[in-house]
Amino acid sequence: MVTDAPKRRILILGGTTESAHLAKALERRPHLQMVTSLAGRTREPAAVPGAARSGGFGGIEGLIRYIREEHIDVIVDATHPYAEQISRHAVVASRSTGVPLLRVERPPWPRQPGDRWAMVDTLAEAARVSGDYGRRAFLTVGAKELQAFANLERMWFLVRLIEAAAERLPLQNYEIVTGRGPFGADDELRLLRQHRIDMVIAKNSGGDATYGKIAAARTLGLPVILIRRPVPPFDLPASATFSAVEDVVAWLDSH
């Protein structure tokens, strides 16, 4: 009697454009079964193909337990380049369980002619120097990381969030705009002009979905305070690292 081979179970640590594209690609492969784990930071996350879970694992031990109990065969870290904690946990969990870890590392944006970038290492440093570059800032660093800018009384911020804030933001003067990327350069140009923005504060997230504001700032000649990516916080490398989702799919197909 012929029986179907068991499906390999893939855990995608997601929340990014790449993780959604990966889930969509793997959905068409009958020999794979994936579940995408989302951080749970938004009340209505974008739908992803296949199974999904939301919320933390309960630290490293919780992630290890989940991998073992759910019989995960491969972990794919497709989280945001600045999601240091979950990436660190994924490396430790991979080593503890022996489950291969693949990492999708989105290349950072390269500086282009005409860019006026001020590179800083931390949000606190960005806040400290912001007054040297302008007074009306387009602030796109994430809803959970605004505290560093809380005491800047002379600054006004246009803050973009995925969804409306449930409570007042920890800022003195601000306005919120909501939206889910991708954001085109022309739309960003109109937004910056409409709100008389004279500087942009952002993370070097890479990718196309949020590059529009960088291109728009270049067109207008605006300074951009850009927060460098954190140094990888782990001593142990992933089993394999890729810059493109297609390469992850190829690895899964060939192993």
Side-chain angles (χ1 to χ4, degrees):
M1 180 179 178
V2 179
T3 59
D4 292 334
K7 294 184 177 183
R8 280 199 300 162
R9 290 177 56 77
I10 314 298
L11 172 62
I12 303 173
L13 304 176
T16 60
T17 302
E18 289 82 3
S19 66
H21 289 171
L22 178 61
K24 185 175 181 179
L26 298 185
E27 188 180 35
R28 298 190 292 267
R29 283 160 168 75
H31 62 289
L32 300 178
Q33 184 179 48
M34 76 287 185
V35 57
T36 299
S37 179
L38 304 173
R41 291 189 173 186
T42 57
R43 295 185 294 275
E44 297 183 6
V48 295
R53 66 176 301 280
S54 182
F57 292 96
I60 294 175
E61 293 303 321
L63 178 56
I64 291 172
R65 184 167 55 253
Y66 180 89
I67 291 168
R68 287 174 172 159
E69 291 178 353
E70 296 297 324
H71 306 290
I72 299 299
D73 296 300
V74 180
I75 311 160
V76 181
D77 179 5
T79 56
H80 194 274
Y82 290 77
E84 296 178 74
Q85 180 170 289
I86 186 61
S87 292
R88 183 187 300 113
H89 289 184
V91 171
V92 176
S94 171
R95 174 56 65 94
S96 298
T97 60
V99 173
L101 169 66
L102 311 183
R103 176 159 176 80
V104 182
E105 287 193 0
R106 183 192 303 167
W109 297 315
R111 188 190 296 264
Q112 301 289 341
D115 284 330
R116 296 177 58 199
W117 288 2
M119 304 299 299
V120 298
D121 291 320
T122 65
L123 290 163
E125 186 179 356
R128 187 168 61 253
V129 303
S130 60
D132 296 336
Y133 294 93
R135 288 290 181 267
R136 297 179 65 84
F138 186 29
L139 181 62
T140 63
V141 297
K144 302 292 185 180
E145 304 196 71
L146 299 174
Q147 188 62 45
F149 304 88
N151 298 321
L152 302 182
E153 297 181 355
R154 298 181 62 189
M155 293 292 299
W156 182 90
F157 296 103
L158 179 65
V159 182
R160 180 156 60 205
L161 305 176
I162 293 176
E163 57 192 9
E167 56 188 25
R168 180 175 172 79
L169 302 183
L171 301 172
Q172 300 287 327
N173 309 293
Y174 67 91
E175 182 177 333
I176 295 174
V177 291
T178 58
R180 195 185 298 270
F183 303 103
D186 290 342
D187 291 334
E188 298 290 66
L189 195 60
R190 283 191 290 270
L191 184 70
L192 299 184
R193 284 172 169 161
Q194 176 186 349
H195 293 277
R196 296 180 288 113
I197 298 300
D198 58 15
M199 63 180 298
V200 175
I201 303 174
K203 297 176 178 178
N204 193 342
S205 300
D208 297 330
T210 60
Y211 185 70
K213 61 177 177 283
I214 303 299
R218 182 190 311 126
T219 298
L220 295 174
L222 302 183
V224 178
I225 298 179
L226 206 58
I227 297 138
R228 293 187 182 92
R229 291 188 177 186
V231 175
F234 20 79
D235 299 324
L236 305 173
S239 302
T241 299
F242 306 98
S243 60
V245 168
E246 294 78 11
D247 295 332
V248 178
V249 174
W251 190 99
L252 292 170
D253 284 342
S254 64
H255 287 69

